[in-house]
Amino acid sequence: MVQLLADSQEDQDNETQQLLITAFENAMSSAGKLPGEDHQRLSTEYIKCLSKLPHEEVKMKDACESMLSLYPALTFPLEVLCMHFIQTGCCSGEAVQYFSKLLEMDSVSGPGHIGLGIKAFQDKKYQEAADNLTQGLKQTGSSIQAWYHLAQTQLKMHSYEECIVSCKKALKLSEGEVQWTKLLLRLKTKALVGSSGASCAEEAMDTLDQLSDTDDDPELLALKGSVYLQRGLIDQALQVATDLLSSHPNQPEAHALRGHIHITQEDYVRAEQSFQKAIEANPTSGEYYYCLGLVYWHMGEETRRDKTKAHTHLLKAAKLDAYLGAVFRYLGHYYRDIVQDKGRARGCYKKAFDLDRNDAESGAAAVDLSMELGDMESALAILRTVTEQASAGTAKWAWLRRGLYNLKMNQHSQAIADLQAALRADPKDSICWECLGEAYLNRRGFTAALKAFTKANELNPESIYSIFQIAAIKQILGKYKEAVTEYMQTIQKRDDYVPALKGLGECYLSMARRALKDYLDGRAVDYLEQAIESLFRAVQHRPDLSCLWKLLGDACTTVHTVSPSRGNVTVWGPLSQRNPTSQKQTLNKFEVLSLGGRCYGRALKLMPESANLWCDLGINYYRQAQHLMSEGKENETPELPEKSLQCLKKAVMLDSRNLLYWNVLGVVALCKGIENLALAQHSFIKSIQAEANNVSAWTNLGSLYLKNENIELAHEAFKVAQSLEPSYVNCWIGQALIAEAVGSYETMDLFRHTTELSIHTEGVKGYAHWVCSTLLDKTNRNSELYLYNIVQMNAITAAQVALSKYTERIRTDAAAFTMLGYLNEHLHLKKQAVEAYQRAVQLLQPTGGKEAVIFALRNYGRTLCTTGQYDQAIQAYTSTPVTELSDITGLALAFFKKGFLQESARAYEKALSVVTTEKEKAYILTALALLEHRQNKVDSAKTLLFKCSMLKEPSVESLQSLCALGLVNRDATLATAALNELLKRTDQKEGVHERCLLTCATFALQGNNVAVQRQASKAIHSNPGDPALWALLSRLVPQYHPRIAKGGAVAGRVACHFSMTQGKSALLYSGVNQLAAGMHSGEDQRSNSLKTIQRAALLSPEDPGVWASLMAACHTENTACYLSSAAPKRAGLEETFMKAISKKVKAEESHPVSYSQCLESWALRQALSGLKQAGQTSAAESLCTKVLGIQPEQPDVFLLLRQAQCEQLLQSHRQLPEAVLVELRKAVMSNYTSVSAWHWLAEVYRTQGLMVAAVMCYRQSLQMASQQGDFSGKLASLLRLALLALAPCMANVSSSEWKDLVQEATSEALKITFCPLAVLLQALLQFSIKMGARETRRLLERVVYQPGYPETVASVARWYLLRHLHAKHDDELIDALMDHARANADSRLEELHKQLCSSS
């Protein structure tokens, strides 16, 4: 019964509830043994029942106490009692006893902690209350009272965010309980107002809207005004405050609201009045005192200076409200900034931070003051606590300070991690990026540091530090030019920033040293000037820094490397010690070195015990002494070597363990003027003892032994140095000198290795000497040693490059300039060779020996002759005694080149008297023969060459000259005989190109055009690596075998690939071949004649032949456009090309006059052809008239004028008068050797119906072409003649002579070469004779289907073949032909097929 009644207790009335209580009491009294399980269970149910009945409080207490007495170990009755006290809000002594007793029995009991928490709250022990309530709610989270009291406690402690969270949880539990909801909403609104942020203000306004009595409650109205103020709605907030004050004038919240509004408006006087009224209304509010103190803190100039009133009110606020963290923050400000009491300030900041962990300003200040006071443990404890509790992207101040601390303690990796965490909180903090960059920099992570400082600079472009660090890092990375730019940017922002000026000077100095290493001395001097200027500006600002004076000394001393002629440096007046000091002065090399010494002296005054500075000063004195010795002025200041020695001894005394000082001391002890060999040896050994892996000291010791001719010890010392550092060039030079001294075959290899390692003056000169010595010995050209040392190792080029750098720096070495000139000659660098020999002559003439001067003049004259400076060459040769054979022949050659043929002949005859061998005699006879030929004495030249060939040792050149003489005079017999003799006597491996050229020319003279191409191909097959042969083949193909022009283009490309020297001309030949093959851009956009010739024009813009070829290529492109019915893209360029060709011809004097005239004539004809093709006949006529006006005696131009004038008459299709035909024939007769002129006249006769006259013109042109050996002209004449004769045949003229003429002409053409057009003409002749014959089909199908026939020819053959097949009604073959036409995109045949089908 009890169980049934208890299950429905909530729905029972009072009578039923009393019956239930009676039933429980009866059941308990009738229970068995006490205490017992049944009784315990019934007591538990009985208490639960009573706890649900508020009016049975007394019985419930009695029942709990009775149960406690019977069951003292049970916590249930205590929990019920505690929950009862919590719900009723009773915290009497009795309740506290129960709370304490419950916690004694169960230390984690929720009701016990909650009860004590509520009691602590009532006693204003807020921290204790918060701790107990928080602990209790972990066990009993459904207690609204507990959440409410926790929220109140958090509000009192100004923990607004926690208060909001507690209110939200309580509101979920209070659904349906209006009273609790109102209380919680009010509490939540206060917390939201206390929080900052727009989102909190919006939420506070929403919360106020949920309260129905907002407008009637002055406290809620004040909160509403505060929300308006937070949202920036000052007018609305002011209206609320005004209304509130009018309705409730003594309401403290209203005065406080008005005060906050005045603070926002910076009206501190009225704000003071408002907060004073608020304090009068509520004198226990610490917040009001804080606000008034804040007003005094910011109020007026006098109040800002004297913070006493602010301090008083802040102290009062702290006493009234010990949980208001902002009060302690401002007290910290007061003690730190006003009183200067860092200890008390730190305590206040720490208190503020303990109260509000979100107060970053207080936390940061507490940490900073702890570090200043040396209490690192406290600072780190705060930082550790914050960073451990912080979520990602928060607590930037703590991460930043911890990162800086770790950076200070050299814990770079941890510092980087901390600073990265700080940047997650604020990625746009430029200072934080700078700190991160500093951390990376200290960890030697230069790339990461550079990125960090670059980001900092992007965020704050005005920051000098970040730009400076960017420059410094780039300087460390060796990016000196970029670093200079950054340093300049820093100096522009602040011109007195000494670190940037110093860094700029260091960069320029490093760039100068790098330039000196590359032997760019002029550039190095420019950099040194800029370095000195930057460092001088820095010294002007900070003359007390010894490092700046040292750098100035370094910059000045670095000049010692360059030659005296380039060692002039411009410096500011105060440095030069000249008047006026306000202007810049130019110092010579010695003055600059002396300035460096003075700068080191200034640095030593600031740091007199610096061993490094004493060493630098000693080196400077040594460099000064070296310079004077090289100039021959060592007697001017003989004390310099001794000064240098004493400075270095001082450096050694100050730091005897420094290997560098001992090493330099040894070098100075060896120099001229001291030569203390014992001291030098002792110094080098001491340096080695200081550091065994001392490659420089070992090398210097080896040099000392080598100087004393102790080869073995020198070799051992150099060998140790090589083992220590194989890339150290000086020790290799020492070994090379030893090898040279003992006559080792490895000498040249060793010197070459030194130049491969680095450019060193001694190594360069040694290598150049051995290369030149090897080249002078002409008997070893085929030896394995020569092929390896000279050819395979590219020795000539390597030695020339190295020696060029050597002579740029050392301008007084005549031997070096002589060797350089010799190497330049081998590389065909003629102008450079002249300059080198000229310098050698200038150096030797004042002081050199007679033999040396003669030798230099001989070399100078020879190179002058090769560069066309014949007058100077003659002068150079006549300056010698002219008794040696080389001098005589050189002078004779100079006379010959100048045009003094008689003087040249006399010189060669004089040379004949001093020759010693028949080979020399053969050469001179050959030269005399050339002289005779130049004077048009052909027979005399032949006699001399025959005489030369009869010698026991005839020269190859004489046989070549004899063959060339036969070719020039078109004497095929002589040319062939000379060539046969040449082929017998020459080595097959030498002179391949010359031999091939002569052979091809001989075949061309004989009219054997196919053999010309075959001979070149045969030579290439034997010598595939010779680019000259490939270029020759590419040159010959378009002229003698145009059918394989595509192959000629390939040959030109191969020559380009093999050699850039040959490639310039070969590229042009390749383009001409593409022209001959008809390769235009319409067929291939990438590979065509225009593109190839354009590239040739870029490589050889001075060659007129290139521009003529480009003109032809443009004409080809325009012609292709006309054929495809497209607008030409390169029209109107004819006159431009003509002017360019004429200009290039005049500028290029090396070409023969005949070549230049022929090229200009061809350009004119090409221009006229282009103008006529474009329909600009009047422009063509005007161009001819213009040319004739300048040079009237030009028959070929006159003919072109007549052709242009006749063009319009021919286009009218009218019969020309006889007088006009006579004039035209006269014009052609004046150019009777022109094949194209006869072709044109034949075409005029054909248009006038004069077929016989046209045939005679073609026969005349054929005769001219045969006489001239013009392969193309001969073939063109035959084809034109055949085409002329074919016209009557196609018109069914019965005369057989036209048919015979066609057959004869085409047969002759096919004898010359395979000609597709000739085959087509034969097929058309057969078509005209008998269209339906089987032979007709056979000939036409041969043209159509066999490969090798151009599409234009095949297209015509398809046309006639289709007509033949239609006549035969052969549908199967017609279909095959149409398929073939479609495959070749022959649309014209499709149209013809349709017409034939429709007509049949």
Side-chain angles (χ1 to χ4, degrees), residues 1070-1106:
S1070 182
V1072 173
N1073 276 281
Q1074 288 176 325
L1075 272 175
M1079 298 170 67
H1080 55 85
S1081 60
E1083 292 183 353
D1084 190 343
Q1085 287 286 344
R1086 298 182 62 185
S1087 178
N1088 54 71
S1089 58
L1090 179 61
K1091 277 201 170 184
T1092 304
I1093 297 173
Q1094 282 175 332
R1095 288 175 57 204
L1098 287 172
L1099 292 174
S1100 305
E1102 74 287 345
D1103 187 356
V1106 173

Side-chain angles (χ1 to χ4, degrees), residues 695-769:
V695 62
S696 178
W698 277 108
T699 303
N700 291 333
L701 184 61
S703 302
L704 172 63
Y705 291 141
L706 186 61
K707 183 176 182 179
N708 286 336
E709 298 182 358
N710 196 333
I711 301 297
E712 292 183 1
L713 287 177
H715 172 66
E716 291 298 323
F718 288 138
K719 188 166 69 173
V720 173
Q722 286 172 315
S723 66
L724 292 174
E725 189 175 337
S727 62
Y728 189 63
V729 67
N730 294 28
C731 57
W732 286 97
I733 293 173
Q735 293 286 35
L737 292 172
I738 291 174
E740 188 175 42
V742 300
S744 172
Y745 69 91
E746 293 181 343
T747 304
M748 188 172 181
D749 286 338
L750 288 169
F751 274 120
R752 182 184 65 249
H753 187 62
T754 63
T755 59
E756 290 171 351
L757 290 174
S758 174
I759 300 297
H760 189 284
T761 52
E762 194 70 30
V764 165
K765 190 174 179 182
Y767 184 51
H769 165 74

